[in-house]
Amino acid sequence: MEELEIKKERLEKEQEINEAKKLLDFFLKALKNIMIYPEDNPIPFEFKKGLYKKFKDFLEKNGEFKIQVDSTNLLYQNEVIYHDQSKDVRMHQEKSIAFFIYRDGIREIKFEMGLPEKELNSFLEILKLVVKRLVPEDDLVTLLWGKDFNFIKYEVVDEILAEELSYSTQVFSQPDFEKLYHSEIDLPETEEEKKVKGEKVKIFVENIKAFAEGEITDLNKLLAMDQKYHPLEATISVFIEILNQEELPDFYEMVGLIEKGLDLLIETYDFASTYKIIEAIKQVEQRFSGISKERSERLKIAVERAGDKRRIEIIGEILNREKKVDLFSVQDYLCSLYWNSISNLINILGELKTFSARKMVCRVLEKFGRENLELVGKGVFDSRWYVVRNILWVLGEIEDRRGVEFVNFALKHEDVRVRREAIRILEKIGDSNSGTALIPLLDYDFNKIRIMAVKLLAKWKVKEAIKPLLEIAEKKEFHNIDIEEKKELLLALAIIGRDEIIPFFRKLLRKRAFFNREKKIETKILAIKALGALNFLKAKNLLTEIKTKRNKTLKEASAKALAKLELLPKI
Amino acid sequence: MGKETSTKSSDKKFLDRQEETLLQKGKELVSQLHASIKTAQIYEQNNEMFIKQSRKLFDLISELIQKEGEILLVSKEGYLFLNDLRLKFDLEKYAGSKFIMEIFERFDMEKISIEEGVTSSELDSFVYLFGHLNPEEKDIFDLFEEKIHKLGISHIKVERIPLFKKESYKKSLQENKRLAKKTFFNAVTVVREAMSSLESRKTVNIVRVKRMVQSLVDLIMEDEGTFLELTALKNFDEYTYIHSADVCVLSIMCGVRLGLEKNKLCELGFAALFHDLGKVRLPYELINKPAEYDDSEWVQIRRHPELGVKTILSFRRLDDYSMRAILVAFEHHLNLDLSGYPKVSKKRDLNLFSRIVSIADAYDAMTSGRVYIKTSYSPDETLKRMFYRSGIFYDPVLLKVFINVVGVYPVGTLVVLDTGEIGVVCGINSEDLARPRVKIIADRYGEKKEYKVVDLRKFDETRNEYHFSIVQTLDPQRYKIDISQYLAVE
């Protein structure tokens, strides 16, 4: 009978340990998922939900889940339920969850019944931070403490061994009680005296103990004020005070320390704070600009340094590495720098991997470009075609006529994507005077570029373009080119040349075609359409003339064009 | 998915709100229970005052029962729990919570449960018992339970502290004392190490500092008394380090009274610990000069707030902890009216933590009588002096809070009792600040005697007066009395 009992107990224990092992396995899986996937991903979300359910079931059945920790194992009721398999010591330390917990001094963790989901999830998040080494100035113990969990308890071995202090107080040979009695002790002689003394103390104590309504209000105000306390703003106010009063060279030291602080903030991607500090430095610099040249110069250098090559490159690396960086803050920060950062920004523009980051830097360059157009425009000389294209976009956003000079340079770029962007931007910021730069593009290999150039030439009515356009149109091969290009070219000729170009059109329309007839008819129809797009007398006359021709196709096309002309306003 | 998440977050908000309401009601319950027991100690059960107070308590309890079904008030590990929710108390409710925990302890009680159907007369009788039973009686819990039964109180039940818990509680009290001492020394060691690391331009182990401050917060929340003794010990070789540890401890205590969250207390302790860090950059001989400073030396000393800022900036990244430390280092000598140092160009409101640390700093420096305050004052004299400057140097309300922490006769005060005996204050009673615990060190004839601790709250019913009262405080230095030797924490 007794044996049976023992056997039953053993089986129950085995079962419990087995359940504990399963729970821990699932816990580790959940942790792994949380570490891999971003917070908003449904996978870790589902894992967390599942884990909470498993914990709830286990705790309801067993009351608590208590794990002992050693450097390689996690134990439940003295049985190993997790063992680090790795033989490589370094690998073991990199990956072993037991080691991470053990390393910070935790020897036991206990989850108690009633554990809320919020606590369990926070616990997982803390482990994630520690394992991923995201919190250099905290460890598992400090983070757990900060959460003040009610249902997760832990035992910590504190390895800090303090020295016993030897209290070397003032050395008194012998307390002089006798002197004391003969000089100072002034015991109340009567009951009345005693009462008076007692009353005085009582009044004082009552005054100290009781807080008047006004005092409580003041205190609550003070506490509320602290709720609104903004650490960075308060710190900046201290920086400003110190900068305002420090003598040289202490002033230089302070600026140097602020620079160091800025670098550390960048390392932690706190661009909102760096921005505010830079703005504060600029403010102090303004104050000193007429008073102390040395101080003003040093502060200017601090801002310049914040935008130097090395620092901007670090920011570029961060933008490529960290997906969660707040780009608006980075933009604010970069915008607060001086113009010296422009070339460095252009430099990282080519290194940034995401569209959003590139767009943000472009916006910064746009801001700088409004006052330093040349420096930004020079970006078109960059050897990387994609950088040039971005710079063109920036020039387009700035919409400053002076940018045409740089766009014209880009029109000659060997990369078709750059040329295309250049034409687009030229259209945005240029005018008819900028049109001649487009003429060389009429010979370009890619017809899309040619079409864009022709369209823009027509839009700006660039007279200088008539001759090269005519040269193209008069060539035999012209009939064979792409219909779209042919259409735009003829239209451009009509728009720019008007009366001057009528003889060309007449010749084209009257000429009889024997060879390549189909293409030539196509050209003629396109020419009729081009003439019909503009309501001017000579074009109308020519169309009327063609309408009388025998060719049915041309007749119909002319009739249509004339009918359309009737609807157009007269030019 | 989006809908599910939003439902989840609104559920969470609802639960948080519910928890917050229960927390508020719980604090109110403890406060009303405190007031009712206090009233019961003075008035009879049929007195109008008692009935009025008891009704307030009853209404609150009825409201809670309606919402929660039943009320379970538990005192455990130095905290009060209402239906498993740990209650946190601010300044107004702090004394009440301490009082209730003391009542639980004195009556050997762990839990009070109040069930649906409780009547006002049951509640009146129950509360009245606390005011009229003598907790000093043997087997007080049994007696208390028997009375409850006899009075027909069927909807209120009490549970005794299990023996093993009582033993472990006693042990944990002793353990806490040991830990308190160890952690305090840790604090001194941490400051010493941090300062010497900074002198030799090495890095400071921030995790270690944080862990130490966190331990201090935990231990102070459980047992202030030991720390009051520890801060009253003065050491002259390591003044700067011990002073930093003292200021850290006293500031945390003040923060506890204000009901600051644990994380904020840690931030406060951290800032207080490093408030004088700037001194690391001043010449050792200047800091420890045994004589008064001349004008030029004062100019140097007055630079330590800015130097503190620079020192913190040199070894810390800017985060919540370091930013608060920077602020406190800069502001702790500014004074409330900004008449202190360094001079500031713009009017500013001192930060809450700076206000607390400046009080703790001044108190500890004045009672230590070292460094640049060459004359030391007794703790009570120090408080008097500080009180005169209340509203000018120090925040008046925070100074009152501080005095509530350290007592009107702080630990370490040398006192003369109305019996003629001389004693050293070794513990305060937050319920009665004028009646601390005193270690008697000499009899009425000036003879040294076996040390005995007397609680000045002890009332002699037959003579209708207190057994002992303080009639005078004395300056220990004048009579070559080393207070520390009577305070050494076991």
Side-chain angles (χ1 to χ4, degrees), chain B residues 325-342:
Chain B
I326 282 173
L327 198 54
V328 168
F330 185 75
E331 290 183 337
H332 76 280
H333 281 298
L334 266 180
N335 294 343
L336 192 66
D337 64 352
L338 306 181
S339 60
Y341 60 89

Side-chain angles (χ1 to χ4, degrees), chain B residues 102 106 136 417 426-429 432 435-440 452-459 466-469:
Chain B
E102 211 177 301
R106 292 171 85 183
E136 307 285 309
L417 301 178
C426 62
I428 69 149
N429 290 312
D432 193 343
R435 302 205 154 272
R437 290 190 300 282
V438 173
K439 188 177 267 184
I440 295 182
K452 177 179 85 173
V453 176
V454 293
D455 189 336
L456 268 49
R457 281 183 306 179
K458 213 164 183 188
F459 195 75
Y466 287 100
H467 283 288
F468 306 93
S469 292

Side-chain angles (χ1 to χ4, degrees), chain B residues 23-272:
Chain B
L23 203 68
Q24 289 304 328
K25 292 283 171 201
K27 281 181 352 188
E28 192 55 35
L29 174 72
V30 172
S31 174
Q32 292 294 343
L33 188 60
H34 167 231
S36 299
I37 297 173
K38 279 288 200 187
T39 319
Q41 284 171 342
I42 304 166
Y43 301 104
E44 289 305 316
Q45 204 174 333
N46 56 2
N47 182 287
E48 194 59 35
M49 290 295 278
F50 177 79
I51 294 168
K52 201 174 156 193
Q53 175 54 41
S54 197
R55 284 297 162 277
K56 270 193 197 170
L57 178 65
F58 179 72
D59 290 345
L60 182 62
I61 284 174
S62 306
E63 189 189 332
L64 268 167
I65 287 179
Q66 207 178 358
K67 278 188 185 148
E68 296 285 316
E70 70 159 354
I71 292 173
L72 182 64
L73 190 64
V74 180
S75 174
K76 195 169 75 177
E77 294 161 5
Y79 296 104
L80 285 171
F81 293 81
L82 174 67
N83 294 2
D84 281 341
L85 185 69
R86 193 166 88 196
L87 303 175
K88 291 165 190 167
F89 297 91
D90 51 21
L91 179 67
E92 280 179 278
K93 312 270 193 289
Y94 184 85
S97 73
K98 282 278 164 203
F99 176 84
I100 294 296
M101 278 193 271
E102 211 177 301
I103 286 280
F104 269 82
E105 195 189 327
R106 292 171 85 183
F107 280 79
D108 238 1
M109 195 168 61
E110 190 187 37
K111 292 174 189 168
I112 300 175
S113 59
I114 308 174
E115 294 163 4
E116 201 176 350
V118 65
T119 63
S120 61
S121 86
E122 277 181 310
L123 191 65
D124 285 358
S125 308
F126 179 74
V127 171
Y128 189 75
L129 281 177
F130 283 118
H132 292 267
L133 280 179
N134 181 6
E136 307 285 309
E137 292 233 23
K138 210 177 158 224
D139 300 325
I140 179 67
F141 184 83
D142 293 332
L143 185 69
F144 185 49
E145 209 174 26
E146 190 189 318
K147 292 264 183 199
I148 289 175
H149 190 69
K150 270 190 184 165
L151 288 165
I153 305 171
S154 58
H155 294 91
I156 305 177
K157 295 193 172 63
V158 288
E159 246 180 71
R160 187 203 298 270
I161 306 175
L163 193 63
F164 76 91
K165 275 198 186 171
K166 219 172 143 187
E167 289 301 318
S168 77
Y169 182 63
K170 266 187 196 159
K171 260 192 211 159
S172 75
L173 278 181
Q174 283 170 353
E175 178 63 7
N176 277 354
K177 272 195 188 303
R178 193 190 65 78
L179 269 177
K181 192 178 167 189
K182 190 183 155 213
T183 311
F184 184 79
F185 292 160
N186 269 342
V188 178
T189 309
V190 160
V191 179
R192 189 199 298 122
E193 279 181 9
M195 286 190 162
S196 68
S197 293
L198 290 168
E199 272 169 338
S200 52
R201 295 184 180 275
K202 286 182 193 156
T203 50
V204 178
N205 186 339
I206 295 300
V207 174
R208 191 177 161 180
V209 179
K210 272 193 192 172
R211 276 175 74 157
M212 184 279 299
V213 178
Q214 289 178 346
S215 299
L216 273 181
V217 170
D218 281 338
L219 292 161
I220 288 170
M221 286 175 92
E222 280 179 33
D223 175 21
E224 276 184 358
T226 309
F227 283 98
L228 283 174
E229 278 190 71
L230 284 162
T231 55
L233 299 174
K234 302 297 169 193
N235 177 300
F236 298 98
D237 287 344
E238 303 209 78
Y239 170 77
T240 309
Y241 314 132
I242 294 189
H243 170 67
S244 298
D246 285 348
V247 174
C248 173
V249 166
L250 292 167
S251 301
I252 292 172
M253 282 180 185
C254 211
V256 171
R257 287 297 168 99
L258 294 173
L260 298 183
E261 292 287 327
K262 270 175 88 176
N263 281 313
K264 289 273 173 207
L265 290 173
C266 188
E267 208 177 298
L268 170 63
F270 188 92

Side-chain angles (χ1 to χ4, degrees), chain A residues 137 148 168 181 184 246, chain B residues 86 237 310 316 400 420 479:
Chain A
E137 291 182 346
D148 198 15
S168 63
Y181 270 88
E184 272 206 45
E246 285 280 64
Chain B
R86 193 166 88 196
D237 287 344
K310 288 183 174 182
R316 291 279 288 135
K400 275 178 79 168
Y479 304 102

Side-chain angles (χ1 to χ4, degrees), chain A residues 98-311:
Chain A
F99 176 75
F100 276 113
I101 301 172
Y102 181 83
R103 181 193 61 182
D104 290 342
I106 292 182
R107 297 293 177 267
E108 187 181 288
I109 303 176
K110 187 167 79 178
F111 301 86
E112 293 178 349
M113 194 154 78
L115 173 74
E117 196 173 354
K118 201 164 74 177
E119 272 197 24
L120 183 63
N121 289 343
S122 293
F123 184 75
L124 279 167
E125 286 300 323
I126 287 175
L127 272 182
K128 176 179 130 181
L129 291 177
V130 173
V131 175
K132 282 186 131 183
R133 295 189 167 84
L134 295 174
V135 276
E137 291 182 346
D138 273 293
D139 66 5
L140 189 53
V141 177
T142 59
L143 291 171
L144 286 174
W145 187 91
K147 289 287 174 187
D148 198 15
F149 292 135
N150 280 333
F151 295 85
I152 303 174
K153 307 272 163 67
Y154 50 93
E155 293 284 333
V156 182
V157 179
D158 208 338
E159 282 164 1
I160 305 168
L161 295 172
E163 292 166 32
E164 278 282 314
L165 292 178
S166 54
Y167 274 83
S168 63
T169 53
Q170 284 162 307
V171 181
F172 296 130
S173 51
Q174 195 65 39
D176 200 347
F177 288 124
E178 204 182 331
K179 183 183 169 195
L180 191 153
Y181 270 88
H182 287 113
S183 60
E184 272 206 45
I185 291 208
D186 178 24
L187 292 178
E189 309 241 314
T190 62
E191 280 303 310
E192 193 53 37
E193 269 183 35
K194 200 172 161 180
K195 209 175 155 190
V196 170
K197 270 198 166 178
E199 275 304 308
K200 272 188 187 170
V201 175
K202 202 175 159 192
I203 291 167
F204 181 69
V205 171
E206 284 310 316
N207 181 27
I208 289 295
K209 260 198 82 176
F211 286 83
E213 211 172 289
E215 287 175 325
I216 293 290
T217 312
D218 287 348
L219 192 64
N220 287 335
K221 267 189 203 160
L222 201 55
L223 291 169
M225 202 169 87
D226 198 59
Q227 291 291 325
K228 287 183 198 154
Y229 148 81
H230 192 289
L232 187 73
E233 275 167 19
T235 308
I236 288 174
S237 77
V238 171
F239 289 172
I240 292 175
E241 283 296 347
I242 295 180
L243 288 174
N244 278 342
Q245 55 190 275
E246 285 280 64
E247 295 295 329
L248 300 174
D250 294 329
F251 178 88
Y252 295 147
E253 189 200 8
M254 186 63 197
V255 180
L257 286 165
I258 296 173
E259 285 176 334
K260 185 174 162 269
L262 281 170
D263 285 345
L264 291 171
L265 283 173
I266 287 175
E267 274 180 25
T268 51
Y269 329 134
D270 186 354
F271 291 97
S273 299
T274 45
Y275 160 67
K276 283 183 181 162
I277 294 176
I278 289 287
E279 285 298 315
I281 293 175
K282 282 157 78 176
Q283 223 178 58
V284 181
E285 189 278 317
Q286 284 288 310
R287 206 184 78 79
F288 279 125
S289 64
I291 310 167
S292 166
K293 199 180 164 207
E294 294 97 327
R295 287 176 175 83
S296 161
E297 285 301 316
R298 180 63 188 89
L299 292 169
K300 277 183 185 164
I301 288 171
V303 183
E304 277 173 15
R305 278 186 187 161
D308 69 12
K309 193 166 184 282
R310 188 175 66 82
R311 287 173 175 88

